Amino acid sequence: MVRTYALLAWTWTRAAMAYPASFAIMTVLGLAVAGMDVAVILIVFANTTTLAGFSRDETLFLYGTANLAFCLCDMFVSNIDRISQHIKAGTLDTMLIRPVSPWLQLAADRFLPTRIGRIAQAAVVLGYALSALDLDPGRLWMVPVMIACGIVIFTALWTLAGALQFVLVDAPEVTSAFTYGTGQLTQYPFSIYGRELVRGVTYVLPLAFVNWQPALYVLDRDDPFGTPEFMRFLGPVAALVLALLAALAWRQGLRHYRSTGS
Amino acid sequence: MIELNDVGRAFKVKRAVVHAVRDLSFTVAPGEFVGYLGPNGAGKSTTIKMLCGILTPTSGRVRVAGLDPSRRRTTLARRIGVVFGQRTTLWWDLPLGDSFDLIRLLYKVDRKVFRVRLDELTQTLDLGGFLRTPVRQLSLGQRMRGDLAAALLHAPDVLVLDEPTIGLDVVSKASIRTFLRRLNAEQGTTVLLTTHDLGDIERLCRRVMVIDHGRLGFDGTLDDLMATAPEHSSIEDVVTALYTGTG
Amino acid sequence: MLTLRRCTTIPLYARLVRYGFRKHATYVVAALAGAFTNSVFGILRAYILIALWQARPGLAGYDVTQAVTYCFITQAFIGPMQLFGVGLSIPERIRSGDIALDLVRPASLQLWSLAEDLGRAAYLFLVRGLPPMLLGAAVFGIYLPAAPGQWAAFLTGFLAAVLVSFAWRYLVALSVCWLLDERGVQSFSLVLTTLCSGMLLPLELFPGWFGEAVRVLPWAAMVQAPTDLYLGEAPVLDTLAFQAFWAVVLLAAGALATRAIRHKVVIQGG
């Protein structure tokens, strides 16, 4: 499966490399688009030293961890977003006549290697935050774990978004509120958000486990909302639950499609 | 090779139930070349989608190459080739050759076998001149030849063609017909062809099935079909009579 | 002669505005989906501004309510001004060659596109613009101008902002004719527009020379200017003059570009 994906992605990369100037421009511009989110953080902290109790570098740590996972999924999975276009154009039918899972084909469809710029940008910010913050080395093991969980959670979100589009063929943009919205949500310390919103994204849709809960452990901070200590370690559970939910929804969506024949 | 038993497919359209296909039964033996005719909206595309597993039938039993398409879709995919005349299965932005490479990867065709098959198809379909051209820049005739090659790279036992000659000029049509006839005769590939072009039927199909309002209205040889009408009628007259129910 | 021509052209463009409106009215579900997403992002952005204004009350001359209002009104502008895209069919028509058909019509391509775009903007203002504002009002409470004069100033400023936005997007769309990399130009425009319009944060917060520069560039006329008119935080005549200046400059540039493209396509057959 990984091999098939890699080969598909490589074909698109080769096609993109045929125009090297364009490739370079798009990589740089992708970096600039992603960099705007960092710009906002920097401008905010040019006007204040702390935001809802968190410093600039702590915020950049939150941004870096969530964004690294988000950008990786943006590169490798987010093409699923275009499923409603494929349904309307009938190209989903052509994916269904091939001996490979349509999920894989959709994720690799028109793979954009230029998004590597964004991943680099997130990695640089994370690297900076890790070196600027005086973190307890004994807690750093959590960083790769939270990034891995973040990748699973964002992949699940994009899969859910794709599954929803089987029903919302005419309103695919609704689903960006969940995918790109989560990307936006996880850029800042959750202490800036309202209590109800944070409850919702902790207990209903467990987005707080992308970075907020584990980051509290890494940064050695108490939760301003007073959740118990063990919640910091529930990231893998949340990721697993969301992944199962997404897989189920995807199967259901595909079944719905094959029985309505859009 | 293809077997349908009392197959039905209903859609809900604004609370009303529409039967796109009902009580459809037919068998296609290996090596046959069958024309599948019917007026617009008769249920041809629905049938084809059920044959490749894109659409699940609401009743009845479908078997293609011994498999239930809707349950064993990905397994069946390796044994069936499909061409949609109205849309391409190739990748719009990639050169034709890259599209073929992708197909080789998706179908896991051995590199050597692929090479031989591609050379053969390149020659018989005369693709040499535009393998490096992005699909979106191909003419309709070139694209259709490319689509045909793409559907055959994995050497399927069954080839399903949905209006493959639509919009093509006389020369392109002739070359595609020659190719299909040879494919069927030399490789023994079973072919099911839907078309509105009766020239395709006359020149290619020994057997013809006509579907109307979701039911099979005629199933027999081309000669049988012609015999349903007075002598010296053209095939157009015969089919028109069948479609309009005056035959 | 002049009056005669005007008699026939005004109804033509008025009709095009109506067609633009009606054409988008058929995509009501998509527009509502956009409104939903803009609203969700509005809420997330509002929390950032609330936290910032709690740390620095009175920043940029706004109170917290005005800051929240700023956030939702800018979200409401995304649809009508197409801040994240081009929103014109011109690049597509240049690629397909259909642009030649548009250019041989006895009407200006620029005015024609503008008329359709105004219709689109009016529709999206209602369907994609109002919901985020209403949601913002319901969740956080937003500032509402009391004086009719302030409403008049805002609506004039909004219209001017749509003109500036159109004029800019028209230039971006036509550039496809010369610059082959269409996606590159569009991303470049996206970065400039989001960063310099006030879409991210009020331009008053941008530090140093960069802040001073973005406050006088044309993008400020799209988002910052009409928002300040709504909030009553800017001198009305100066702001409208600033917007009018950029509208005229960019529309004039667009007219020149139209002549150039006509020359290129119709005469060179290109």
Side-chain angles (χ1 to χ4, degrees):
Chain A
M1 202 169 129
V2 175
R3 203 181 113 86
T4 312
Y5 185 97
L7 291 168
L8 285 172
W10 175 240
T11 309
W12 288 103
T13 308
R14 227 177 32 204
M17 297 284 203
Y19 307 95
S22 169
F23 183 87
I25 292 171
M26 286 313 290
T27 309
V28 171
L29 283 171
L31 225 156
V33 172
M36 282 195 297
D37 288 332
V38 189
V40 173
I41 295 177
L42 295 180
I43 293 170
V44 164
F45 281 99
N47 288 282
T48 180
T49 48
T50 62
L51 195 69
F54 283 75
S55 73
R56 184 189 72 178
D57 292 345
E58 285 174 318
T59 305
L60 287 176
F61 174 72
L62 285 162
Y63 171 88
T65 46
N67 222 241
L68 188 57
F70 178 80
C71 291
L72 279 165
C73 292
D74 183 42
M75 182 164 180
F76 291 104
V77 185
S78 76
N79 299 318
I80 287 185
D81 248 354
R82 280 198 299 269
I83 185 169
S84 61
Q85 290 175 29
H86 286 292
I87 292 174
K88 279 193 222 160
T91 35
L92 187 61
D93 285 355
T94 67
M95 293 185 180
L96 285 168
I97 60 167
R98 301 212 173 98
V100 173
S101 114
W103 187 90
L104 200 77
Q105 292 183 60
L106 282 162
D109 181 60
R110 278 190 265 161
F111 175 81
L112 281 180
T114 48
R115 286 181 176 158
I116 192 96
R118 302 186 187 196
I119 298 173
Q121 175 267 149
V124 167
V125 172
L126 179 61
Y128 163 80
L130 284 174
S131 65
L133 290 164
D134 190 19
L135 295 171
D136 175 359
R139 290 172 183 251
L140 286 181
W141 62 269
M142 182 60 105
V143 177
V145 175
M146 64 196 275
I147 292 170
C149 290
I151 292 172
V152 175
I153 292 175
F154 280 119
T155 303
L157 286 175
W158 256 299
T159 308
L160 278 170
L164 265 176
Q165 289 187 22
F166 279 111
V167 188
L168 298 170
V169 183
D170 292 318
E173 217 188 327
V174 167
T175 59
S176 347
F178 298 101
T179 49
Y180 292 90
T182 306
Q184 168 74 41
L185 177 87
T186 49
Q187 287 178 9
Y188 287 84
F190 277 30
S191 50
I192 69 168
Y193 301 119
R195 187 170 285 273
E196 282 74 31
L197 178 64
V198 173
R199 268 202 199 129
V201 296
T202 307
Y203 300 111
V204 183
L205 200 61
L207 307 175
F209 299 95
V210 169
N211 62 347
W212 172 244
Q213 286 285 350
L216 288 172
Y217 169 78
V218 178
L219 299 170
D220 197 9
R221 304 265 314 227
D222 288 330
D223 185 354
F225 297 101
T227 54
E229 185 76 27
F230 73 89
M231 300 269 287
R232 316 288 176 265
F233 307 98
L234 290 186
V237 180
L240 194 70
V241 169
L242 265 179
L244 285 175
L245 199 71
L248 217 67
W250 178 259
R251 284 189 52 157
Q252 213 51 43
L254 205 58
R255 188 173 298 168
H256 172 78
Y257 177 78
R258 297 209 297 134
S259 63
T260 52
S262 301
Chain B
M1 191 53 80
I2 303 175
E3 208 185 323
L4 272 77
N5 283 316
D6 299 324
V7 172
R9 172 67 238 196
F11 294 104
K12 271 195 197 115
V13 182
K14 289 179 186 153
R15 294 205 188 142
V17 178
V18 178
H19 293 272
V21 167
R22 56 171 105 193
D23 307 328
L24 191 62
S25 301
F26 63 79
T27 321
V28 177
E32 268 196 289
F33 201 129
V34 183
Y36 193 41
L37 287 177
N40 294 321
K44 295 191 301 292
S45 291
T46 306
T47 315
I48 286 188
K49 284 184 180 182
M50 289 193 289
L51 291 181
C52 5
I54 299 172
L55 201 57
T56 320
T58 28
S59 63
R61 179 168 174 276
V62 183
R63 289 289 177 277
V64 178
L67 300 164
D68 177 352
S70 77
R71 296 215 172 154
R72 309 281 306 278
R73 184 171 46 81
T74 44
T75 319
L76 176 65
R78 287 178 206 286
R79 306 196 45 191
I80 189 171
V82 186
V83 175
F84 296 109
Q86 308 264 28
R87 60 178 100 108
T88 181
T89 59
L90 303 165
W91 286 262
W92 209 239
D93 306 304
L94 293 181
L96 185 60
D98 285 8
S99 271
F100 291 157
D101 265 345
L102 276 181
I103 293 200
R104 177 179 72 79
L105 300 171
L106 289 175
Y107 286 85
K108 298 201 171 70
V109 182
D110 176 78
R111 199 182 282 270
K112 273 193 204 129
V113 177
F114 169 80
R115 206 56 270 165
V116 173
R117 260 197 102 69
L118 183 58
D119 285 347
E120 209 179 281
L121 288 164
T122 306
Q123 210 180 14
T124 46
L125 284 166
D126 196 16
L127 308 172
F130 47 90
L131 277 175
R132 306 288 350 134
T133 314
V135 172
R136 70 182 119 78
Q137 292 171 13
L138 298 179
S139 75
L140 194 58
Q142 292 173 330
R143 205 210 76 201
M144 188 49 61
R145 269 138 65 201
D147 256 310
L148 259 178
L152 292 167
L153 278 170
H154 60 291
D157 305 326
V158 189
L159 181 62
V160 177
L161 304 160
D162 193 1
E163 304 188 30
T165 53
I166 192 164
L168 297 188
D169 63 48
V170 214
V171 182
S172 304
K173 262 184 200 170
S175 79
I176 283 189
R177 284 172 186 160
T178 312
F179 173 79
L180 288 176
R181 195 172 19 223
R182 279 186 51 191
L183 178 83
N184 176 250
E186 291 168 18
Q187 322 239 356
T189 310
T190 313
V191 184
L192 184 75
L193 165 75
T194 83
T195 183
H196 287 300
D197 187 322
L198 299 171
D200 291 347
I201 300 290
E202 267 184 314
R203 285 172 186 75
L204 293 170
C205 306
R206 283 178 292 268
R207 177 177 162 201
V208 183
M209 297 189 292
V210 181
I211 186 175
D212 198 7
H213 293 99
R215 291 173 199 269
L216 210 53
F218 175 86
D219 184 357
T221 63
L222 189 58
D223 295 337
D224 292 343
L225 181 69
M226 298 306 288
T228 59
E231 227 168 316
H232 305 303
S233 308
S234 70
I235 184 164
E236 275 84 5
D237 297 334
V238 178
V239 172
T240 310
L242 262 176
Y243 284 7
T244 51
T246 54
Chain C
M1 193 58 203
L2 190 76
T3 43
L4 225 171
R5 228 186 110 193
R6 194 167 289 163
C7 284
T8 56
T9 50
I10 296 287
L12 166 69
Y13 291 113
R15 184 160 293 195
L16 283 172
V17 173
R18 251 184 38 219
Y19 285 168
F21 188 97
R22 279 225 306 262
K23 195 164 101 194
H24 277 82
T26 53
Y27 304 114
V28 60
V29 183
L32 287 173
F36 172 76
T37 304
N38 293 158
S39 304
V40 169
F41 272 83
I43 289 177
L44 296 177
R45 285 183 59 214
Y47 277 120
I48 302 171
L49 295 186
I50 292 170
L52 179 57
W53 257 262
Q54 270 167 358
R56 290 283 310 277
L59 193 64
Y62 300 152
D63 60 28
V64 176
T65 314
Q66 280 178 315
V68 168
T69 311
Y70 186 97
C71 165
F72 281 99
I73 202 164
T74 52
Q75 287 298 116
F77 285 164
I78 293 174
M81 293 187 208
Q82 291 288 301
L83 295 171
F84 296 154
V86 176
L88 299 169
S89 56
I90 294 173
E92 235 173 273
R93 297 184 69 82
I94 290 179
R95 245 179 304 136
S96 66
D98 290 348
I99 197 77
L101 303 176
D102 299 339
L103 286 167
V104 296
R105 279 201 207 110
S108 144
L109 174 67
Q110 194 182 19
L111 279 178
W112 186 286
S113 313
L114 173 62
E116 281 191 338
D117 199 59
L118 286 177
R120 182 196 55 73
Y123 179 74
L124 291 183
F125 177 69
L126 295 176
V127 182
R128 261 185 84 165
L130 290 183
M133 293 292 282
L134 293 174
L135 186 80
V139 178
F140 300 100
I142 61 168
Y143 170 87
L144 276 180
Q150 205 172 327
W151 277 107
F154 164 66
L155 288 174
T156 318
F158 174 72
L159 184 66
V162 173
L163 278 177
V164 175
S165 131
F166 164 79
W168 170 253
R169 286 180 289 117
Y170 183 76
L171 283 171
V172 171
L174 284 197
S175 74
V176 173
C177 209
W178 293 278
L179 302 163
L180 289 172
D181 198 337
E182 171 191 348
R183 282 190 308 153
V185 181
Q186 287 174 9
S187 302
F188 188 61
S189 162
L190 170 79
V191 171
L192 279 176
T193 309
T194 349
L195 190 65
C196 305
S197 65
M199 194 52 229
L200 294 177
L201 289 167
L203 296 179
E204 203 54 47
L205 301 189
F206 285 44
W209 61 267
F210 185 61
E212 273 163 44
V214 290
R215 289 191 281 274
V216 296
L217 289 173
W219 296 280
M222 295 182 201
V223 175
Q224 184 73 46
T227 310
D228 274 340
L229 288 174
Y230 180 88
L231 295 172
E233 288 293 320
V236 174
L237 290 179
D238 289 3
T239 309
L240 290 177
F242 168 71
Q243 289 183 294
F245 169 76
W246 279 119
V248 169
V249 169
L250 292 178
L251 286 171
L256 287 177
T258 314
R259 277 178 58 181
I261 191 181
R262 185 192 297 265
H263 187 81
K264 192 171 152 79
V265 173
V266 178
I267 300 176
Q268 299 178 344

